[in-house]
Amino acid sequence: MGAVPVDMTRERFEELVADALDEVPEELLGLMSNVVILVEDDPPQGERDLLGLYEGHALTSRGWDYSGVLPDRIFIYRHPILRICDNDDDVVDEVAVTVVHEIAHHFGIDDDRLHALGWG
């Protein structure tokens, strides 16, 4: 899988991320708090294969003293996703899975549980 990276513009990739967000139920999006979703070309150095990343304080760990903090950030990394996909349809699917995976972290769901649920 992914012998030759899919060639896709950043604009098209960002559209796919927006489409994936449109598929998240409104009830869940309404519960998201103080979080932004960003598309980056590449993950941090040394994390070449990382498809997405959640940085912040999950909703389940926010206490009474949670205030005045910068928004949590969800990163979706374009190049690693394009590298592992064989065609545009694979990119659509992988973006959707990655977006859901990182949003789940915002709700306090860890990697083990996500893998068990099929969103790993």
Side-chain angles (χ1 to χ4, degrees), residues 45-116:
Q45 189 170 2
E47 300 288 341
R48 182 180 194 280
D49 297 326
L50 192 64
L51 306 181
L53 180 66
Y54 171 74
E55 288 184 342
H57 304 277
L59 293 176
T60 54
S61 68
R62 295 179 183 179
W64 62 269
D65 59 343
Y66 178 83
S67 66
V69 298
L70 293 173
D72 293 1
R73 299 182 301 175
I74 291 175
F75 295 97
I76 308 298
Y77 297 116
R78 185 169 72 102
H79 289 152
I81 290 175
L82 296 179
R83 261 195 311 276
I84 66 166
C85 293
D86 291 321
N87 55 53
D88 285 4
D89 290 337
D90 288 348
V91 176
V92 170
D93 292 341
E94 192 57 54
V95 165
V97 168
T98 303
V99 166
V100 168
H101 182 104
E102 300 309 328
I103 287 174
H105 287 318
H106 179 66
F107 286 98
I109 302 172
D110 66 18
D111 281 329
D112 290 338
R113 182 69 178 134
L114 284 168
H115 284 277

